[in-house]
Amino acid sequence: MLTRRARWRALPPACLLAASLTPIAAAAASVATAAGAGQQQAAPAAPAPAAASTAAAQPVELFLDASIDGERTGQLVSVMQTGSTLRMTVESLRELGLDPARFGVAGRTDFALDEVPGLRYRYDAAAQTLDLSPDASLRAPSLLSARNVRSTGQAQASRGVLLNYNLFAQSVGGAVAGSAELRYFDRHGTLTSTGSAILRGERRGYTRYDTSWVRPFQDRLSTLQLGDTVTPALGWTRALRLGGVEWRRNFELRPDLVTYPVASLAGSAVVPSSVDLYVNNVRQFSTEVPTGPFVIDQVAGLNGAGQATLVTRDALGRQVTTTLPLYVDTRLLARGLNDYAVSLGALRRDYGQHSFSYGSPAAVASWRHGWRDTVTLEGHAEAGPGLGLLGAGVLARVPGAGVASAALAASGGRRRGFQASLGYQYVSPRFAFDVQSVRASAGYGDLGALEGTPVPRALDRASLSTAFAGGHSLSANFIQMRMPPASASASASILITDPLGVIGTVEQTPAVSRTVSLAYSRSVGTRGHLSVSAFQNLARRAERGISFTFGMAFDSRISFNTNAGRQRGENVASMSLGRAPDFDGGIGWALQAGTNGAQRYDQAQVQYLGAHGRATVSTQRVGETRISNLDLSGALVAMDNTVVAARQVGRGFALVSVGVPGLPVLQDNRPIGRTDAGGRLLVPDLMPYAPNRIAIDPSSLPPDTRIDVTNVDVVPRQYAGVVARFALARYAAATLTLVKPDGKAPEVGTPARLEGSAQASVVGYDGVLFVEGLRAENRVLVGAGKDACEVGFAYKAVAGELPAIGPLVCQPVQGESK
């Protein structure tokens, strides 16, 4: 079947002439089309002859060169002309990239251009062109993303074992202690166990902290965890440590996913233009847009209140600026998103003191749902022996004025009561205000209360901060907490996280605590920073303090800090000078001296950071006592049938395996080290679930090696490693120097072929010929016909070299050529 353009070109010359003249003749019979390029919507001014009217009433198919808003599309569209009416097929509309549904003609075969509201057009009969000018409402907006993030990838994990360790030795008492994190990982998941041990000294022994097996399900954005876990907490609940099983949503499996509502800006370009987006006067995004409406989605660089400015410029430099206020809160969930966690097990007791101490069975569930972009719903439930708890909360964005929150929870069984929470937060570049108040009745309790950690009766916090020009900032904070009378029988210890983020065990606490604090900071020059802070416990007058701090950084990476103040009736002061080791490795040092009341102290340390770990030697004097310490930290990784020593490893890593020692390795185009004697290098701290570009420098490869791929994208799973293997091939090759019996070199470009090989080569200048695929004994045929000659030679491979052999005399071929 011929395309429209092909059918047009396939018409015979006479038909082409007729097709061109017919619409012109019809236009001559009408005043509306007499101008040729006018808009087709006016009626004839005078009666036309009967023959002309009959001709004009006959439908004529036209093939017109289409453009939109004056910009050519390169498409020929089929248009039927009946008198002054033009009809277009719906299929032609789709081919032009226009949506029939927006034109109101979806489900039809054709339509008249005049019947679409908001559509203007110009038909030029002489040039056989049709220019459509649809309103913005008829154009699907071009969607542009202002957020530039790494794309996600399918996570990878090789099989291996990792040990992160830290060893500490002290001169006083000869104490030796250490901590360790042991991981086993494969494609099914990661098993992790952490703990610490006192190897020499009092209370010798090992204490286990956490042991768990984690398996992520990337396609479901969920994670299954077996073993010890910390239940997620909402803003009005407390986190608990328990051992058991947990199924939770895990948005970290999609680094490219934005979970909170992001701002979108809409605009329209009359002609092709460039668009610049500024957020709080900082350019965040720049691109070119075609004619018509456009939407810039996922506007980043903003948390709280701000201002977005959209600047469009056309080819002539004409500029249109639009400014809009925005408000973004990362605590909200985007519309339709769900976040949840369900935990079943037993509450953990005496964490950090006993390895296996568990208490009451427990079930905990939390849920968050983005009902709208402006409203996020929350729910929470707990159940244990003789106790049940249910609660619900909401976060709602106040238009242009921050986010308000509220929650209500009720407990029943052994602890009956209610808890209510109200909060409000507003953040802007110059001003931020945050307040929350939680009230609980006397009988209210959660699972932590069953284990002896009571719920505060009242918890209030308020903070106010502001920033001024010139790098000045000022903040004020108020915290009030009222606890129920302490229980004498409360001996259990579990991890609790309150809405303020305080983590730990609750000890004997005053019934009421009220603390107010003030802080001021400013920049001093381009490298200095000055801060002043003060606090006062309104319930205990003696608990007050004030502190002055000044710090400065220098070009040589040396930093200086000094501090002076008064804390709880005692003067404190300190001064320090130090230099951290470079990331690539090296020596760092630090000196410190100060006083704490009547006690004087000083300290000096030297630190070495290498490819295999970190070593720190320090000595300090407190009063008349001097103590020296040695601290060693690093990692051992067993992968790819070897054990590699490295710095401590984070969430994701890769083991580069090349087989060539001393080869430079790059991560995201940044040199990070060289391969060891076994041709391997551990690359720590990669971003999980995102492509990380790992590359090698081929210029450092031995001459007799060949490599097809010099970079790979590694997507490690969280807390797992991947072997990044680069396959090398060795050349069995040599450079030959050939001469003829007369002592002259063969002509440049003479073909040559190694016997038994299909690969051909040519002789270069001065008779130089490169040949690969060699064996111990070789024969090379040079040239063809009567000028053909041959040379035989022996070859012995030399590791890391491409030997040069010759000069060799190329003798005429005897007998039949091969």
Side-chain angles (χ1 to χ4, degrees):
M1 180 181 293
L2 293 174
T3 63
R4 291 190 178 114
R5 184 184 296 271
R7 292 202 310 267
W8 174 263
R9 291 176 176 173
L11 290 176
C15 294
L16 287 174
L17 180 60
S20 300
L21 294 179
T22 299
I24 299 176
S30 171
V31 173
T33 59
Q39 187 170 337
Q40 296 254 335
Q41 55 187 12
S53 300
T54 302
Q58 296 299 320
V60 177
E61 184 176 13
L62 308 175
F63 293 93
L64 307 179
D65 190 358
S67 60
I68 299 178
D69 289 330
E71 185 178 359
R72 296 188 60 182
T73 64
Q75 296 278 349
L76 284 179
V77 297
S78 172
V79 175
M80 296 299 296
Q81 182 184 38
T82 304
S84 61
T85 301
L86 296 180
R87 300 187 68 86
M88 178 186 291
T89 63
V90 174
E91 182 61 27
S92 296
L93 201 64
R94 291 193 182 95
E95 291 178 356
L96 293 175
L98 301 174
D99 186 3
R102 290 179 175 269
F103 280 66
V105 296
R108 295 168 55 178
T109 58
D110 63 352
F111 65 97
L113 298 184
D114 291 327
E115 67 178 280
V116 180
L119 175 64
R120 299 178 304 279
Y121 65 93
R122 292 177 63 86
Y123 164 51
D124 189 336
Q128 291 291 281
T129 60
L130 178 66
D131 181 35
L132 302 178
S133 298
D135 286 349
S137 60
L138 301 178
R139 300 282 299 272
S142 301
L143 187 60
L144 310 171
S145 178
R147 184 168 174 261
N148 185 19
V149 297
R150 293 187 180 187
S151 60
T152 188
Q154 187 62 40
Q156 309 161 352
S158 303
R159 178 179 296 178
V161 177
L162 163 69
L163 174 66
N164 279 324
Y165 65 86
N166 184 273
L167 296 175
F168 178 81
Q170 193 174 79
S171 61
V172 176
V176 179
S179 62
E181 176 196 12
L182 182 64
R183 299 184 208 163
Y184 168 79
F185 48 88
D186 58 22
R187 62 188 181 89
H188 299 292
T190 301
L191 178 64
T192 305
S193 184
T194 59
S196 64
I198 300 177
L199 306 176
R200 182 180 178 184
E202 298 181 1
R203 302 182 63 182
R204 184 181 305 177
Y206 177 79
T207 302
R208 183 187 67 89
Y209 294 154
D210 296 287
T211 303
S212 61
W213 178 79
V214 178
R215 177 168 184 176
F217 295 87
Q218 200 171 358
D219 55 339
R220 304 181 189 177
L221 283 181
S222 300
T223 295
L224 173 65
Q225 182 165 340
L226 304 178
D228 297 306
T229 185
V230 179
T231 63
L234 303 175
W236 42 277
T237 67
R238 305 195 293 179
L240 302 154
R241 280 194 181 272
L242 58 82
V245 57
E246 181 177 85
W247 177 262
R248 66 178 180 271
R249 176 74 79 195
N250 189 355
F251 290 121
E252 292 183 354
L253 303 180
R254 282 280 307 276
D256 61 326
L257 182 64
V258 179
T259 61
Y260 55 88
V262 293
S264 297
L265 302 176
S268 183
V270 179
V271 296
S273 307
S274 65
V275 174
D276 293 317
L277 172 65
Y278 294 81
V279 176
N280 292 336
N281 297 321
V282 177
R283 191 169 75 169
Q284 300 285 343
F285 179 68
S286 180
T287 189
E288 302 290 329
V289 295
T291 60
F294 60 86
V295 174
I296 299 179
D297 197 10
Q298 297 192 1
V299 177
L302 183 64
N303 183 22
Q307 179 176 278
T309 302
L310 204 61
V311 180
T312 59
R313 297 182 182 88
D314 61 20
L316 299 179
R318 291 172 295 193
Q319 177 175 301
V320 177
T321 302
T322 305
T323 301
L324 298 171
L326 301 175
Y327 196 91
V328 175
D329 194 313
T330 57
R331 298 176 301 165
L332 296 172
L333 278 180
R335 182 175 182 175
L337 280 185
N338 288 284
D339 190 10
Y340 57 82
V342 179
S343 307
L344 303 174
L347 292 173
R348 186 79 182 267
R349 291 177 175 173
D350 303 319
Y351 181 78
Q353 301 177 21
H354 298 285
S355 299
F356 298 93
S357 180
Y358 294 90
S360 307
V364 181
S366 295
W367 168 78
R368 302 179 71 232
H369 173 67
W371 184 41
R372 298 176 180 173
D373 281 344
T374 58
V375 178
T376 296
L377 304 178
E378 299 179 332
H380 183 76
E382 298 180 9
L387 183 140
L389 183 149
L390 287 174
V394 61
L395 285 86
R397 188 169 66 200
V398 182
V403 172
S405 61
L408 182 64
S411 63
R414 294 165 56 186
R415 302 272 183 167
R416 296 187 177 183
F418 297 90
Q419 176 183 274
S421 171
L422 289 174
Y424 174 76
Q425 184 183 88
Y426 177 81
V427 179
S428 71
R430 295 293 185 185
F431 172 81
F433 177 66
D434 187 13
V435 61
Q436 184 179 29
S437 179
V438 182
R439 291 289 185 274
S441 64
Y444 178 80
D446 57 8
L447 291 177
L450 288 184
E451 294 293 324
T453 307
V455 176
R457 296 279 183 85
L459 184 60
D460 304 304
R461 63 177 172 83
S463 65
L464 175 66
S465 62
T466 184
F468 307 96
H472 300 258
S473 65
L474 179 66
S475 64
N477 297 274
F478 172 77
I479 299 177
Q480 173 180 265
M481 184 168 61
R482 179 163 55 89
M483 299 294 297
S487 174
S489 61
S491 59
S493 174
I494 63 173
L495 179 73
I496 298 295
T497 303
D498 63 22
L500 294 178
V502 180
I503 300 179
T505 58
V506 177
E507 301 174 355
Q508 295 290 336
T509 306
V512 179
S513 174
R514 300 187 188 93
T515 303
V516 62
S517 62
L518 295 171
Y520 166 79
S521 66
R522 63 158 299 174
S523 300
V524 179
T526 58
R527 299 181 179 272
H529 183 266
L530 173 67
S531 64
V532 182
S533 61
F535 76 92
Q536 172 68 64
N537 190 329
L538 302 180
R540 295 182 177 183
R541 293 291 182 181
E543 291 189 6
R544 62 167 66 99
I546 186 170
S547 175
F548 300 84
T549 302
F550 174 76
M552 178 169 286
F554 302 94
D555 288 335
S556 56
R557 295 175 56 88
I558 295 176
S559 60
F560 168 77
N561 286 277
T562 182
N563 173 272
R566 186 173 179 82
Q567 305 285 341
R568 294 179 173 84
E570 293 187 340
N571 295 327
V572 295
S574 68
M575 183 178 297
S576 65
L577 185 69
R579 184 188 188 279
D582 296 332
F583 177 82
D584 296 336
I587 300 293
W589 53 268
L591 300 172
Q592 186 180 29
T595 61
N596 188 352
Q599 195 81 278
R600 292 180 175 271
Y601 64 90
D602 58 64
Q603 177 175 304
Q605 76 171 28
V606 177
Q607 187 178 96
Y608 171 74
L609 178 63
H612 297 159
R614 182 191 303 264
T616 304
V617 178
S618 63
T619 180
Q620 59 181 349
R621 179 181 60 84
V622 180
E624 301 299 325
T625 304
R626 180 163 294 278
I627 304 173
S628 298
N629 305 308
L630 173 63
D631 194 339
L632 302 175
S633 65
L636 296 175
V637 180
M639 290 176 66
D640 195 31
N641 299 318
T642 189
V643 177
V644 178
R647 302 176 188 177
Q648 287 201 343
V649 175
R651 299 190 303 163
F653 61 96
L655 179 64
V656 176
S657 179
V658 187
V660 178
L663 193 65
V665 178
L666 299 89
Q667 175 191 346
D668 294 331
N669 297 322
R670 177 174 59 90
I672 58 171
R674 293 176 176 267
T675 55
D676 59 15
R680 296 180 176 88
L681 176 69
L682 192 77
V683 183
D685 302 322
L686 298 183
M687 180 179 290
Y689 307 108
N692 300 264
R693 178 59 56 91
I694 305 296
I696 61 173
D697 184 359
S699 64
S700 300
L701 289 173
D704 63 338
T705 57
R706 175 177 57 197
I707 185 169
D708 295 328
V709 178
T710 60
N711 60 77
V712 294
D713 286 333
V714 175
V715 186
R717 199 182 63 217
Q718 191 170 27
Y719 302 119
V722 179
V723 176
R725 186 174 285 106
F726 294 86
L728 300 180
R730 295 275 180 180
Y731 280 110
T735 300
L736 309 180
T737 301
L738 307 179
V739 294
K740 293 181 179 180
D742 59 3
K744 297 181 180 180
E747 293 184 6
V748 175
T750 302
R753 180 176 59 85
L754 177 68
E755 184 180 45
S757 173
Q759 183 176 0
S761 56
V762 295
V763 178
Y765 289 102
D766 299 324
V768 174
L769 175 66
F770 181 78
V771 184
E772 59 178 307
L774 300 178
R775 299 179 295 274
E777 296 294 333
N778 304 274
R779 177 172 175 262
V780 176
L781 178 67
V782 180
K786 63 183 182 64
D787 295 328
C789 64
E790 63 181 358
V791 61
F793 62 95
Y795 167 77
K796 184 178 180 180
V798 180
E801 296 183 11
L802 291 176
I805 302 175
L808 301 175
V809 178
C810 191
Q811 301 290 348
V813 177
Q814 300 297 327
E816 183 180 354
S817 299
K818 293 185 179 180

